[in-house]
Amino acid sequence: MELRREDVPSYWLHEAGASPSDPLEGDREADFCVVGAGLTGLWTAYYLSVAEPDARIAVIEKRMAGYGASGRNAGWLSSEFDGKLEDMARRGGRAGVVAMHHAMNETFDLVVRTLRDEGVDAGLHHGGIIRFAQNPAQLVRVRAYFEKRRSWGVDAGYSWLSGEEVAERVRVHGVLGGYRNEYGARVQPAKLVRGLLEVVRRRGVRVHEDTEALRIEPGRVVTSRGAVRAPVVIRSVEAYLVNLPGHRRDVLPMQSTVILTDPIPESRRAEIGWSGAELIADGANAYAAAQLTADWRIVMGARGILPKYGYGSALDHDGRTTEAARRHLFEAVTNWFPQLRDLGITDSWCGVLAIPRDWTPSVNFDPATGLASAGGYVGSGVSTTNLAGRTLADLVRGRKSDLTELPWVNRPTRRWEPEPLRWVGVNAMTKLYRAADRREQAGTERPSRLSRIGAFVTGR
């Protein structure tokens, strides 16, 4: 039967022809059981199968591999890691911060190499990343971020660009300057995750789609179709963690919208440049980020764009978004490229980011219970998931390595506040960021104090 667009939550998954298969049929035993067939779960299964080819590895997935953020994101494969440098330094010192930076750069290279070696066609194009400023306040913010990385010694791969140098690569309206990170590539994320699914299945991993995990316990995962017993259970469900008993406040599921435009007409392509197909983002507080597909469509995503955080950590409804969210994102397209105001929108969808209370991801393992977990990527998970998978594979096998010593391993975290404090705080942050962006666009020379208040409210 032909897959319809409405059967899946994103254009990406439809293009990849994703559909579930191999549901669990009754109870079974395994050496490792992974809950969640997104990128974290599949990379973990991949590296476990490489380290222990004879191991019995089971992956449990409620819908289909890539149904969540892994198959709905804007397709940014990068070395970016969402975490506060100061928090990392408190656990690992300056050396730990530098080690984390180098690990992310190496992860980017490893993902590119592994996809090539395993024959996964994810539409990868290595063009780097450009983050630019369109007003003086954004320029201060973007430059401060760049200088902070330099002062910490975590700027390998980064270079500063003048406004003219940015415009030589991509002719964004009113650009004043920005930085480039060479460790960035566009991907079709659903083809990445579905290709990885095929790889792990060839390696003997059983991925049971259409199988909902109801409870995760030491030594056992109880599902809608039976139980999987395993001495090691790895949880990799990202924002869907809030659906598991007792975890409603562990992460905050922030909804994020993505739009896909019609192809840019050939007559307009020379006007905007972008022949290198770099990943690009602006320096706003509620910033927008985009990739250019091989057929010259713009994929635009953003944080803090409608719909907002849902009361009680409510999740999205199968990727459906709103006309207001589509319109808001298209305004970002035309703000960058006014000549594209007549461009149509082909598709749109939304997904959820898992945000820990301190806005920093982590990898965890308790040998006493055999329970492990990873996540909280705050939207930068396309490559970070690979680092998490490699780290988990070492941790659960009791192997000490450079990866298991990184400062995000077994990092203590606290829970989000109960409602209504959580809802009030997060939506206040969103409104403050938008108000700050309006002020900055109106002509302030420095970043608005409203953005600092917004960050203070939620600890961002």
Side-chain angles (χ1 to χ4, degrees), residues 222-401:
V222 179
T223 84
S224 56
R225 296 178 177 273
V228 180
R229 297 186 180 275
V232 173
V233 175
I234 302 165
R235 191 187 69 215
S236 57
V237 294
E238 201 56 354
Y240 296 91
L241 176 62
V242 300
N243 280 341
L244 293 174
H247 294 284
R248 176 66 65 176
R249 290 166 49 201
D250 286 7
V251 296
L252 185 142
M254 178 67 83
Q255 298 180 4
S256 181
T257 298
V258 177
I259 63 171
L260 173 76
T261 71
D262 294 344
I264 299 171
E266 290 189 21
S267 60
R268 294 289 188 188
R269 294 175 187 178
E271 297 177 28
I272 66 170
W274 212 356
S275 60
E278 296 91 347
L279 304 175
I280 61 174
D282 62 29
N285 294 288
Y287 67 83
Q291 66 149 287
L292 183 67
T293 66
D295 59 349
W296 283 83
R297 299 173 186 267
I298 296 175
V299 179
M300 178 72 79
R303 299 184 193 175
I305 302 299
L306 296 171
K308 303 174 184 177
Y309 162 73
Y311 189 88
S313 292
L315 297 173
D316 72 286
H317 298 286
D318 295 322
R320 293 194 297 274
T321 188
T322 65
E323 182 57 34
R326 287 161 55 97
R327 190 166 57 248
H328 198 116
L329 272 179
F330 191 70
E331 287 174 2
V333 173
T334 58
N335 181 41
W336 294 359
F337 307 112
Q339 62 269 56
L340 300 182
R341 63 177 60 89
D342 294 328
L343 197 63
I345 299 175
T346 299
D347 207 340
S348 66
W349 60 92
C350 76
V352 285
L353 316 176
I355 302 178
R357 187 60 185 85
D358 62 359
W359 298 74
T360 302
S362 61
V363 177
N364 307 282
F365 178 55
D366 180 3
T369 63
L371 295 176
S373 64
Y377 305 114
V378 198
S380 294
V382 178
S383 51
T384 313
T385 49
N386 176 276
L387 180 60
R390 287 185 288 136
T391 305
L392 284 168
D394 283 350
L395 284 172
V396 301
R397 293 184 300 115
R399 180 177 180 270
K400 288 188 177 182
S401 66

Side-chain angles (χ1 to χ4, degrees), residues 395-439:
L395 284 172
V396 301
R397 293 184 300 115
R399 180 177 180 270
K400 288 188 177 182
S401 66
D402 291 343
L403 297 181
T404 62
E405 298 300 314
L406 290 172
W408 73 326
V409 174
N410 290 326
R411 188 180 58 79
T413 59
R414 64 187 180 97
R415 307 180 78 197
W416 283 89
E417 290 77 6
E419 298 291 17
L421 294 176
R422 187 162 72 250
W423 185 87
V424 170
V426 173
N427 284 295
M429 177 199 71
T430 301
K431 291 180 180 179
L432 285 165
Y433 277 170
R434 291 177 184 164
D437 285 331
R438 287 193 294 271
R439 287 190 179 185

